[in-house]
Amino acid sequence: MNMKKKLYYYFLLLILLSSCEEKINLKVPDSYTRIVVEGEITTEKKSHLIKLSVTSSYFVNQPTKYLSGANVSISDGNVTWQLKEKEAGHYYTESDVQGEVGKTYFLRIENVDVDGDGEQEVYTASELLKPCANPDSIACSKIKYMNDSVYEIKLWALEPEPVGDYYYWKFYVNGKLGSDSLQKASYTDDLIVNGNYIYGYPIIRFRKEQAKIF
Protein backbone atom coordinates (compact mmCIF):
# COMPACT_ATOMS: atom_id res chain seq x y z
CA MET A 1 0.00 0.00 0.00
CA ASN A 2 1.47 3.34 -1.03
CA MET A 3 1.50 6.55 0.98
CA LYS A 4 -1.36 8.12 -1.01
CA LYS A 5 -3.69 5.21 -0.20
CA LYS A 6 -2.74 5.35 3.48
CA LEU A 7 -3.51 9.06 3.64
CA TYR A 8 -6.79 8.48 1.83
CA TYR A 9 -7.87 5.79 4.29
CA TYR A 10 -6.90 7.96 7.28
CA PHE A 11 -8.82 10.89 5.82
CA LEU A 12 -11.88 8.71 5.21
CA LEU A 13 -11.68 7.37 8.77
CA LEU A 14 -11.60 10.90 10.18
CA ILE A 15 -14.69 11.82 8.13
CA LEU A 16 -16.56 8.78 9.43
CA LEU A 17 -15.60 9.51 13.04
CA SER A 18 -16.55 13.16 12.81
CA SER A 19 -19.90 12.29 11.26
CA CYS A 20 -20.82 10.38 14.43
CA GLU A 21 -20.83 13.57 16.49
CA GLU A 22 -24.11 15.40 16.93
CA LYS A 23 -24.88 18.22 19.31
CA ILE A 24 -28.11 17.71 21.24
CA ASN A 25 -29.70 20.53 23.21
CA LEU A 26 -31.75 18.97 25.98
CA LYS A 27 -34.73 20.97 27.12
CA VAL A 28 -35.44 20.10 30.74
CA PRO A 29 -38.50 21.95 32.03
CA ASP A 30 -38.15 23.83 35.30
CA SER A 31 -40.19 22.50 38.19
CA TYR A 32 -41.48 24.34 41.24
CA THR A 33 -39.04 25.12 44.03
CA ARG A 34 -38.78 22.50 46.76
CA ILE A 35 -37.27 22.57 50.23
CA VAL A 36 -34.20 20.40 50.88
CA VAL A 37 -33.65 19.22 54.46
CA GLU A 38 -30.38 17.64 55.63
CA GLY A 39 -29.99 16.59 59.23
CA GLU A 40 -29.88 13.87 61.82
CA ILE A 41 -30.59 12.95 65.40
CA THR A 42 -28.15 10.49 66.98
CA THR A 43 -27.32 8.92 70.33
CA GLU A 44 -24.27 11.20 70.63
CA LYS A 45 -24.49 14.05 73.12
CA LYS A 46 -23.68 17.00 70.87
CA SER A 47 -25.07 19.95 68.96
CA HIS A 48 -27.15 18.42 66.16
CA LEU A 49 -27.41 20.20 62.82
CA ILE A 50 -30.33 20.67 60.44
CA LYS A 51 -29.52 22.33 57.07
CA LEU A 52 -32.28 23.95 55.02
CA SER A 53 -31.89 24.89 51.36
CA VAL A 54 -34.03 25.10 48.22
CA THR A 55 -33.77 23.44 44.82
CA SER A 56 -32.74 25.22 41.63
CA SER A 57 -32.78 24.50 37.91
CA TYR A 58 -30.63 21.55 36.79
CA PHE A 59 -28.58 23.74 34.44
CA VAL A 60 -28.02 26.59 36.89
CA ASN A 61 -24.43 26.41 38.11
CA GLN A 62 -24.51 28.42 41.29
CA PRO A 63 -23.87 27.92 45.02
CA THR A 64 -26.50 26.29 47.19
CA LYS A 65 -29.23 28.71 48.22
CA TYR A 66 -29.77 28.23 51.95
CA LEU A 67 -33.06 29.00 53.65
CA SER A 68 -32.79 31.54 56.49
CA GLY A 69 -35.24 32.80 59.06
CA ALA A 70 -37.08 29.54 59.67
CA ASN A 71 -38.37 28.31 63.01
CA VAL A 72 -36.95 24.79 63.42
CA SER A 73 -37.66 22.41 66.28
CA ILE A 74 -37.11 18.75 67.18
CA SER A 75 -39.29 16.90 69.69
CA ASP A 76 -39.40 13.42 71.21
CA GLY A 77 -43.07 13.84 72.18
CA ASN A 78 -42.22 15.12 75.65
CA VAL A 79 -39.28 17.50 75.23
CA THR A 80 -38.97 20.03 72.41
CA TRP A 81 -35.66 21.60 71.35
CA GLN A 82 -35.67 24.90 69.47
CA LEU A 83 -32.78 25.14 67.03
CA LYS A 84 -30.75 28.32 66.54
CA GLU A 85 -29.57 29.57 63.15
CA LYS A 86 -25.83 30.22 63.49
CA GLU A 87 -25.16 30.71 59.77
CA ALA A 88 -27.40 30.94 56.72
CA GLY A 89 -29.65 27.87 56.63
CA HIS A 90 -27.69 26.02 59.36
CA TYR A 91 -29.78 25.36 62.49
CA TYR A 92 -28.27 23.82 65.63
CA THR A 93 -29.57 22.30 68.86
CA GLU A 94 -27.85 22.95 72.17
CA SER A 95 -24.73 20.87 72.80
CA ASP A 96 -26.37 18.58 75.39
CA VAL A 97 -29.01 17.04 73.09
CA GLN A 98 -28.80 13.25 72.93
CA GLY A 99 -31.14 10.89 71.09
CA GLU A 100 -32.41 7.64 72.58
CA VAL A 101 -32.86 4.38 70.69
CA GLY A 102 -36.52 3.35 70.46
CA LYS A 103 -37.92 6.89 70.54
CA THR A 104 -39.63 8.63 67.64
CA TYR A 105 -38.39 12.14 66.87
CA PHE A 106 -40.43 14.84 65.18
CA LEU A 107 -39.02 17.64 63.04
CA ARG A 108 -41.06 20.81 62.48
CA ILE A 109 -40.13 23.69 60.15
CA GLU A 110 -42.18 26.90 60.19
CA ASN A 111 -42.00 30.52 59.00
CA VAL A 112 -40.83 29.70 55.46
CA ASP A 113 -42.20 30.60 52.02
CA VAL A 114 -40.42 28.19 49.71
CA ASP A 115 -42.67 28.59 46.66
CA GLY A 116 -42.73 32.39 46.95
CA ASP A 117 -46.52 32.76 46.95
CA GLY A 118 -46.56 35.02 50.01
CA GLU A 119 -48.03 32.38 52.32
CA GLN A 120 -46.11 30.79 55.19
CA GLU A 121 -45.65 27.01 55.02
CA VAL A 122 -45.13 24.30 57.61
CA TYR A 123 -43.10 21.15 56.99
CA THR A 124 -43.03 18.14 59.33
CA ALA A 125 -41.30 14.77 59.46
CA SER A 126 -40.83 11.97 61.97
CA GLU A 127 -38.54 8.97 62.34
CA LEU A 128 -37.87 6.19 64.82
CA LEU A 129 -34.32 6.11 66.14
CA LYS A 130 -33.29 2.51 65.49
CA PRO A 131 -30.34 0.60 66.93
CA CYS A 132 -27.23 0.44 64.77
CA ALA A 133 -25.02 -2.54 64.04
CA ASN A 134 -22.08 -2.66 66.44
CA PRO A 135 -18.84 -2.96 64.45
CA ASP A 136 -16.52 -5.79 65.46
CA SER A 137 -13.64 -4.10 63.69
CA ILE A 138 -12.77 -1.47 61.07
CA ALA A 139 -9.66 -1.48 58.89
CA CYS A 140 -8.13 1.05 56.52
CA SER A 141 -5.65 0.03 53.85
CA LYS A 142 -4.11 1.42 50.68
CA ILE A 143 -5.23 -0.34 47.49
CA LYS A 144 -5.22 -0.01 43.73
CA TYR A 145 -8.62 1.06 42.38
CA MET A 146 -9.33 2.02 38.75
CA ASN A 147 -5.60 2.49 38.05
CA ASP A 148 -5.35 4.81 41.03
CA SER A 149 -3.94 4.53 44.53
CA VAL A 150 -6.69 5.05 47.11
CA TYR A 151 -7.50 4.26 50.72
CA GLU A 152 -10.28 1.82 51.53
CA ILE A 153 -12.17 1.48 54.81
CA LYS A 154 -13.70 -1.94 55.51
CA LEU A 155 -16.25 -2.99 58.10
CA TRP A 156 -16.87 -6.24 60.01
CA ALA A 157 -20.22 -6.40 61.84
CA LEU A 158 -23.45 -8.34 62.33
CA GLU A 159 -26.33 -6.57 60.57
CA PRO A 160 -29.45 -6.82 62.77
CA GLU A 161 -32.91 -7.87 61.63
CA PRO A 162 -35.53 -6.94 60.48
CA VAL A 163 -35.03 -5.46 57.02
CA GLY A 164 -35.43 -1.69 56.65
CA ASP A 165 -32.23 -0.25 58.12
CA TYR A 166 -30.27 2.47 56.34
CA TYR A 167 -26.63 3.36 56.90
CA TYR A 168 -24.74 6.59 56.41
CA TRP A 169 -20.98 6.69 57.03
CA LYS A 170 -18.75 9.66 57.74
CA PHE A 171 -14.97 9.67 57.60
CA TYR A 172 -12.19 12.00 58.62
CA VAL A 173 -8.76 12.53 57.05
CA ASN A 174 -6.21 14.13 59.40
CA GLY A 175 -9.05 15.52 61.51
CA LYS A 176 -10.91 16.98 58.51
CA LEU A 177 -14.40 15.70 57.68
CA GLY A 178 -14.19 14.10 54.24
CA SER A 179 -17.92 13.43 53.86
CA ASP A 180 -19.00 17.06 54.27
CA SER A 181 -21.63 16.94 51.50
CA LEU A 182 -24.21 14.53 50.08
CA GLN A 183 -22.01 14.15 47.01
CA LYS A 184 -19.26 12.69 49.18
CA ALA A 185 -21.59 10.73 51.42
CA SER A 186 -21.53 6.93 51.61
CA TYR A 187 -24.86 5.33 52.35
CA THR A 188 -26.81 2.15 51.65
CA ASP A 189 -29.68 -0.04 52.87
CA ASP A 190 -29.69 -3.57 54.30
CA LEU A 191 -31.75 -5.33 51.62
CA ILE A 192 -28.86 -7.59 50.60
CA VAL A 193 -27.13 -8.12 53.95
CA ASN A 194 -30.11 -8.12 56.32
CA GLY A 195 -29.52 -10.35 59.34
CA ASN A 196 -26.14 -11.56 58.07
CA TYR A 197 -22.58 -11.06 59.18
CA ILE A 198 -20.64 -8.54 57.09
CA TYR A 199 -17.06 -9.61 56.35
CA GLY A 200 -14.81 -6.73 55.37
CA TYR A 201 -17.42 -4.74 53.48
CA PRO A 202 -15.77 -1.72 51.74
CA ILE A 203 -17.84 1.20 52.99
CA ILE A 204 -15.62 4.07 51.75
CA ARG A 205 -12.82 4.62 49.23
CA PHE A 206 -11.00 7.95 49.12
CA ARG A 207 -7.84 9.74 48.11
CA LYS A 208 -5.99 10.98 51.17
CA GLU A 209 -5.04 14.34 49.72
CA GLN A 210 -8.53 15.08 48.42
CA ALA A 211 -10.72 13.32 51.01
CA LYS A 212 -12.83 12.18 48.06
CA ILE A 213 -14.90 8.99 48.09
CA PHE A 214 -15.63 6.67 45.16
Side-chain angles (χ1 to χ4, degrees):
M1 183 181 294
N2 60 37
M3 184 60 68
K4 289 184 178 180
K5 286 185 178 181
K6 286 184 178 180
L7 291 175
Y8 173 76
Y9 288 142
Y10 289 154
F11 181 66
L12 180 60
L13 180 60
L14 288 174
I15 292 177
L16 291 174
L17 290 175
S18 63
S19 65
C20 295
E21 297 180 2
E22 182 179 355
K23 186 177 181 180
I24 300 176
N25 294 319
L26 295 175
K27 293 184 178 180
V28 180
D30 290 335
S31 181
Y32 61 87
T33 303
R34 295 175 173 86
I35 188 172
V36 179
V37 182
E38 300 176 52
E40 62 182 7
I41 184 75
T42 75
T43 55
E44 296 178 84
K45 182 180 287 188
K46 65 177 185 179
S47 179
H48 291 77
L49 168 64
I50 300 293
K51 290 193 289 186
L52 303 182
S53 59
V54 295
T55 58
S56 61
S57 173
Y58 178 81
F59 293 104
V60 174
N61 185 16
Q62 62 183 16
T64 300
K65 183 179 179 181
Y66 288 104
L67 195 59
S68 292
N71 294 330
V72 182
S73 63
I74 297 175
S75 172
D76 65 359
N78 295 312
V79 180
T80 299
W81 299 279
Q82 295 292 334
L83 281 69
K84 296 180 180 180
E85 185 177 15
K86 296 184 179 180
E87 54 185 296
H90 292 61
Y91 300 82
Y92 294 84
T93 68
E94 297 295 335
S95 59
D96 60 349
V97 174
Q98 183 177 18
E100 184 178 334
V101 172
K103 283 189 175 182
T104 298
Y105 291 86
F106 305 87
L107 173 67
R108 186 176 180 86
I109 303 168
E110 301 176 287
N111 194 41
V112 292
D113 181 15
V114 175
D115 56 15
D117 64 355
E119 296 184 7
Q120 299 297 308
E121 302 145 17
V122 177
Y123 296 89
T124 60
S126 63
E127 186 58 71
L128 174 68
L129 183 54
K130 298 180 180 180
C132 183
N134 292 319
D136 288 337
S137 60
I138 296 175
C140 182
S141 58
K142 194 173 184 179
I143 65 168
K144 285 290 184 180
Y145 179 79
M146 299 293 288
N147 298 321
D148 199 359
S149 180
V150 302
Y151 289 86
E152 181 178 72
I153 300 176
K154 292 183 178 181
L155 170 70
W156 284 259
L158 176 63
E159 205 289 318
E161 294 187 283
V163 70
D165 293 326
Y166 294 84
Y167 295 93
Y168 168 61
W169 292 285
K170 298 179 180 180
F171 72 98
Y172 292 81
V173 179
N174 296 329
K176 177 184 178 182
L177 180 63
S179 51
D180 57 355
S181 67
L182 291 179
Q183 184 180 11
K184 296 180 179 180
S186 179
Y187 45 85
T188 187
D189 56 42
D190 66 343
L191 292 179
I192 297 178
V193 299
N194 179 56
N196 296 311
Y197 192 86
I198 302 170
Y199 292 91
Y201 179 76
I203 57 178
I204 291 171
R205 295 188 183 101
F206 65 95
R207 294 189 185 94
K208 182 177 180 180
E209 68 276 9
Q210 295 179 335
K212 181 179 180 181
I213 73 163
F214 299 83

mmCIF file of all heavy atoms in Angstrom, residues 83-108:
data_model
loop_
_atom_site.group_PDB
_atom_site.id
_atom_site.type_symbol
_atom_site.label_atom_id
_atom_site.label_comp_id
_atom_site.label_asym_id
_atom_site.label_seq_id
_atom_site.Cartn_x
_atom_site.Cartn_y
_atom_site.Cartn_z
ATOM 1 N N LEU A 83 -34.098 25.021 67.637
ATOM 2 C CA LEU A 83 -32.779 25.143 67.035
ATOM 3 C C LEU A 83 -32.471 26.599 66.712
ATOM 4 O O LEU A 83 -33.367 27.374 66.382
ATOM 5 C CB LEU A 83 -32.690 24.301 65.765
ATOM 6 C CG LEU A 83 -32.475 22.789 65.972
ATOM 7 C CD1 LEU A 83 -33.695 22.117 66.578
ATOM 8 C CD2 LEU A 83 -32.104 22.117 64.657
ATOM 9 N N LYS A 84 -31.190 26.959 66.812
ATOM 10 C CA LYS A 84 -30.750 28.324 66.538
ATOM 11 C C LYS A 84 -29.978 28.373 65.223
ATOM 12 O O LYS A 84 -29.135 27.513 64.957
ATOM 13 C CB LYS A 84 -29.863 28.843 67.674
ATOM 14 C CG LYS A 84 -30.583 28.959 69.013
ATOM 15 C CD LYS A 84 -29.637 29.479 70.093
ATOM 16 C CE LYS A 84 -30.355 29.601 71.432
ATOM 17 N NZ LYS A 84 -29.436 30.107 72.487
ATOM 18 N N GLU A 85 -30.269 29.392 64.422
ATOM 19 C CA GLU A 85 -29.571 29.569 63.151
ATOM 20 C C GLU A 85 -28.258 30.320 63.404
ATOM 21 O O GLU A 85 -28.257 31.504 63.715
ATOM 22 C CB GLU A 85 -30.437 30.335 62.156
ATOM 23 C CG GLU A 85 -29.817 30.442 60.772
ATOM 24 C CD GLU A 85 -30.719 31.145 59.774
ATOM 25 O OE1 GLU A 85 -31.698 31.800 60.207
ATOM 26 O OE2 GLU A 85 -30.453 31.047 58.566
ATOM 27 N N LYS A 86 -27.134 29.613 63.237
ATOM 28 C CA LYS A 86 -25.833 30.224 63.488
ATOM 29 C C LYS A 86 -25.176 30.740 62.215
ATOM 30 O O LYS A 86 -24.289 31.581 62.269
ATOM 31 C CB LYS A 86 -24.920 29.219 64.186
ATOM 32 C CG LYS A 86 -25.421 28.814 65.574
ATOM 33 C CD LYS A 86 -24.434 27.891 66.271
ATOM 34 C CE LYS A 86 -24.932 27.524 67.662
ATOM 35 N NZ LYS A 86 -23.973 26.618 68.363
ATOM 36 N N GLU A 87 -25.568 30.211 61.078
ATOM 37 C CA GLU A 87 -25.158 30.714 59.771
ATOM 38 C C GLU A 87 -26.297 30.415 58.813
ATOM 39 O O GLU A 87 -27.212 29.654 59.150
ATOM 40 C CB GLU A 87 -23.856 30.042 59.320
ATOM 41 C CG GLU A 87 -23.899 28.526 59.322
ATOM 42 C CD GLU A 87 -22.565 27.916 58.997
ATOM 43 O OE1 GLU A 87 -22.095 28.132 57.868
ATOM 44 O OE2 GLU A 87 -22.001 27.220 59.863
ATOM 45 N N ALA A 88 -26.275 31.027 57.650
ATOM 46 C CA ALA A 88 -27.401 30.938 56.721
ATOM 47 C C ALA A 88 -27.834 29.490 56.482
ATOM 48 O O ALA A 88 -27.072 28.666 55.979
ATOM 49 C CB ALA A 88 -27.026 31.581 55.392
ATOM 50 N N GLY A 89 -29.078 29.178 56.884
ATOM 51 C CA GLY A 89 -29.649 27.869 56.633
ATOM 52 C C GLY A 89 -29.133 26.742 57.499
ATOM 53 O O GLY A 89 -29.530 25.591 57.331
ATOM 54 N N HIS A 90 -28.269 27.038 58.480
ATOM 55 C CA HIS A 90 -27.693 26.022 59.358
ATOM 56 C C HIS A 90 -28.265 26.218 60.768
ATOM 57 O O HIS A 90 -27.960 27.210 61.437
ATOM 58 C CB HIS A 90 -26.173 26.115 59.399
ATOM 59 C CG HIS A 90 -25.523 25.732 58.101
ATOM 60 N ND1 HIS A 90 -25.754 26.405 56.924
ATOM 61 C CD2 HIS A 90 -24.631 24.748 57.806
ATOM 62 C CE1 HIS A 90 -25.039 25.849 55.954
ATOM 63 N NE2 HIS A 90 -24.358 24.848 56.455
ATOM 64 N N TYR A 91 -29.064 25.259 61.212
ATOM 65 C CA TYR A 91 -29.776 25.360 62.486
ATOM 66 C C TYR A 91 -29.251 24.289 63.447
ATOM 67 O O TYR A 91 -29.176 23.104 63.089
ATOM 68 C CB TYR A 91 -31.275 25.189 62.267
ATOM 69 C CG TYR A 91 -31.868 26.234 61.340
ATOM 70 C CD1 TYR A 91 -31.786 26.084 59.955
ATOM 71 C CD2 TYR A 91 -32.490 27.372 61.844
ATOM 72 C CE1 TYR A 91 -32.314 27.042 59.090
ATOM 73 C CE2 TYR A 91 -33.028 28.341 60.989
ATOM 74 C CZ TYR A 91 -32.931 28.168 59.615
ATOM 75 O OH TYR A 91 -33.439 29.122 58.767
ATOM 76 N N TYR A 92 -28.913 24.711 64.670
ATOM 77 C CA TYR A 92 -28.269 23.820 65.630
ATOM 78 C C TYR A 92 -29.079 23.699 66.921
ATOM 79 O O TYR A 92 -29.690 24.674 67.393
ATOM 80 C CB TYR A 92 -26.869 24.343 65.992
ATOM 81 C CG TYR A 92 -25.878 24.329 64.867
ATOM 82 C CD1 TYR A 92 -25.837 25.380 63.946
ATOM 83 C CD2 TYR A 92 -24.971 23.284 64.724
ATOM 84 C CE1 TYR A 92 -24.912 25.380 62.906
ATOM 85 C CE2 TYR A 92 -24.042 23.284 63.690
ATOM 86 C CZ TYR A 92 -24.008 24.333 62.783
ATOM 87 O OH TYR A 92 -23.096 24.339 61.747
ATOM 88 N N THR A 93 -29.037 22.486 67.511
ATOM 89 C CA THR A 93 -29.567 22.303 68.861
ATOM 90 C C THR A 93 -28.505 22.749 69.855
ATOM 91 O O THR A 93 -27.377 23.063 69.478
ATOM 92 C CB THR A 93 -29.909 20.826 69.125
ATOM 93 O OG1 THR A 93 -28.682 20.059 69.174
ATOM 94 C CG2 THR A 93 -30.815 20.261 68.048
ATOM 95 N N GLU A 94 -28.855 22.737 71.136
ATOM 96 C CA GLU A 94 -27.848 22.946 72.166
ATOM 97 C C GLU A 94 -26.899 21.748 72.188
ATOM 98 O O GLU A 94 -27.199 20.677 71.636
ATOM 99 C CB GLU A 94 -28.514 23.122 73.535
ATOM 100 C CG GLU A 94 -29.424 24.349 73.631
ATOM 101 C CD GLU A 94 -28.655 25.657 73.484
ATOM 102 O OE1 GLU A 94 -27.443 25.669 73.780
ATOM 103 O OE2 GLU A 94 -29.271 26.649 73.073
ATOM 104 N N SER A 95 -25.769 21.898 72.835
ATOM 105 C CA SER A 95 -24.728 20.872 72.797
ATOM 106 C C SER A 95 -25.018 19.648 73.669
ATOM 107 O O SER A 95 -24.282 18.659 73.610
ATOM 108 C CB SER A 95 -23.386 21.468 73.219
ATOM 109 O OG SER A 95 -23.471 22.010 74.529
ATOM 110 N N ASP A 96 -26.080 19.700 74.483
ATOM 111 C CA ASP A 96 -26.369 18.585 75.385
ATOM 112 C C ASP A 96 -27.508 17.697 74.893
ATOM 113 O O ASP A 96 -28.031 16.868 75.641
ATOM 114 C CB ASP A 96 -26.702 19.113 76.783
ATOM 115 C CG ASP A 96 -27.921 20.035 76.778
ATOM 116 O OD1 ASP A 96 -28.375 20.438 75.682
ATOM 117 O OD2 ASP A 96 -28.428 20.353 77.871
ATOM 118 N N VAL A 97 -27.911 17.846 73.637
ATOM 119 C CA VAL A 97 -29.005 17.038 73.091
ATOM 120 C C VAL A 97 -28.484 15.655 72.716
ATOM 121 O O VAL A 97 -27.463 15.520 72.036
ATOM 122 C CB VAL A 97 -29.645 17.720 71.868
ATOM 123 C CG1 VAL A 97 -30.677 16.802 71.222
ATOM 124 C CG2 VAL A 97 -30.281 19.041 72.267
ATOM 125 N N GLN A 98 -29.214 14.626 73.172
ATOM 126 C CA GLN A 98 -28.798 13.249 72.926
ATOM 127 C C GLN A 98 -30.024 12.396 72.629
ATOM 128 O O GLN A 98 -30.962 12.340 73.412
ATOM 129 C CB GLN A 98 -28.060 12.692 74.151
ATOM 130 C CG GLN A 98 -27.521 11.283 73.986
ATOM 131 C CD GLN A 98 -26.740 10.840 75.206
ATOM 132 O OE1 GLN A 98 -26.857 11.413 76.297
ATOM 133 N NE2 GLN A 98 -25.916 9.817 75.048
ATOM 134 N N GLY A 99 -30.016 11.743 71.459
ATOM 135 C CA GLY A 99 -31.135 10.892 71.086
ATOM 136 C C GLY A 99 -31.116 9.580 71.849
ATOM 137 O O GLY A 99 -30.097 9.171 72.416
ATOM 138 N N GLU A 100 -32.265 8.899 71.866
ATOM 139 C CA GLU A 100 -32.405 7.638 72.585
ATOM 140 C C GLU A 100 -33.021 6.604 71.654
ATOM 141 O O GLU A 100 -34.061 6.848 71.033
ATOM 142 C CB GLU A 100 -33.277 7.829 73.827
ATOM 143 C CG GLU A 100 -33.413 6.589 74.694
ATOM 144 C CD GLU A 100 -34.258 6.841 75.933
ATOM 145 O OE1 GLU A 100 -34.325 8.006 76.379
ATOM 146 O OE2 GLU A 100 -34.849 5.861 76.437
ATOM 147 N N VAL A 101 -32.365 5.451 71.554
ATOM 148 C CA VAL A 101 -32.859 4.381 70.691
ATOM 149 C C VAL A 101 -34.259 3.953 71.125
ATOM 150 O O VAL A 101 -34.534 3.801 72.313
ATOM 151 C CB VAL A 101 -31.900 3.166 70.741
ATOM 152 C CG1 VAL A 101 -32.507 1.977 70.004
ATOM 153 C CG2 VAL A 101 -30.559 3.535 70.118
ATOM 154 N N GLY A 102 -35.155 3.776 70.170
ATOM 155 C CA GLY A 102 -36.521 3.355 70.464
ATOM 156 C C GLY A 102 -37.519 4.493 70.519
ATOM 157 O O GLY A 102 -38.731 4.257 70.540
ATOM 158 N N LYS A 103 -37.028 5.732 70.530
ATOM 159 C CA LYS A 103 -37.922 6.888 70.544
ATOM 160 C C LYS A 103 -38.143 7.418 69.124
ATOM 161 O O LYS A 103 -37.260 7.308 68.276
ATOM 162 C CB LYS A 103 -37.353 8.008 71.412
ATOM 163 C CG LYS A 103 -37.508 7.788 72.904
ATOM 164 C CD LYS A 103 -37.121 9.046 73.683
ATOM 165 C CE LYS A 103 -37.384 8.884 75.173
ATOM 166 N NZ LYS A 103 -37.060 10.127 75.920
ATOM 167 N N THR A 104 -39.320 7.979 68.920
ATOM 168 C CA THR A 104 -39.628 8.627 67.643
ATOM 169 C C THR A 104 -39.413 10.124 67.792
ATOM 170 O O THR A 104 -39.887 10.735 68.764
ATOM 171 C CB THR A 104 -41.082 8.348 67.215
ATOM 172 O OG1 THR A 104 -41.251 6.938 67.016
ATOM 173 C CG2 THR A 104 -41.407 9.070 65.917
ATOM 174 N N TYR A 105 -38.715 10.715 66.827
ATOM 175 C CA TYR A 105 -38.393 12.138 66.871
ATOM 176 C C TYR A 105 -39.127 12.871 65.741
ATOM 177 O O TYR A 105 -39.266 12.351 64.627
ATOM 178 C CB TYR A 105 -36.890 12.353 66.790
ATOM 179 C CG TYR A 105 -36.195 11.878 68.043
ATOM 180 C CD1 TYR A 105 -35.815 10.547 68.187
ATOM 181 C CD2 TYR A 105 -35.967 12.748 69.114
ATOM 182 C CE1 TYR A 105 -35.220 10.100 69.353
ATOM 183 C CE2 TYR A 105 -35.371 12.314 70.275
ATOM 184 C CZ TYR A 105 -35.004 10.990 70.396
ATOM 185 O OH TYR A 105 -34.417 10.554 71.567
ATOM 186 N N PHE A 106 -39.603 14.054 66.091
ATOM 187 C CA PHE A 106 -40.429 14.838 65.176
ATOM 188 C C PHE A 106 -39.720 16.138 64.813
ATOM 189 O O PHE A 106 -39.276 16.880 65.696
ATOM 190 C CB PHE A 106 -41.783 15.152 65.819
ATOM 191 C CG PHE A 106 -42.540 13.923 66.287
ATOM 192 C CD1 PHE A 106 -42.321 13.403 67.560
ATOM 193 C CD2 PHE A 106 -43.439 13.308 65.444
ATOM 194 C CE1 PHE A 106 -43.007 12.271 67.984
ATOM 195 C CE2 PHE A 106 -44.140 12.175 65.863
ATOM 196 C CZ PHE A 106 -43.920 11.655 67.133
ATOM 197 N N LEU A 107 -39.617 16.397 63.537
ATOM 198 C CA LEU A 107 -39.019 17.638 63.037
ATOM 199 C C LEU A 107 -40.135 18.547 62.534
ATOM 200 O O LEU A 107 -41.039 18.118 61.819
ATOM 201 C CB LEU A 107 -38.048 17.336 61.892
ATOM 202 C CG LEU A 107 -37.467 18.544 61.149
ATOM 203 C CD1 LEU A 107 -36.551 19.358 62.058
ATOM 204 C CD2 LEU A 107 -36.718 18.098 59.899
ATOM 205 N N ARG A 108 -40.056 19.833 62.909
ATOM 206 C CA ARG A 108 -41.061 20.806 62.479
ATOM 207 C C ARG A 108 -40.345 22.068 61.969
ATOM 208 O O ARG A 108 -39.470 22.613 62.659
ATOM 209 C CB ARG A 108 -42.008 21.165 63.623
ATOM 210 C CG ARG A 108 -43.186 22.067 63.196
ATOM 211 C CD ARG A 108 -44.136 22.307 64.363
ATOM 212 N NE ARG A 108 -45.264 23.146 63.988
ATOM 213 C CZ ARG A 108 -46.382 22.701 63.447
ATOM 214 N NH1 ARG A 108 -46.535 21.394 63.212
ATOM 215 N NH2 ARG A 108 -47.366 23.520 63.122
#
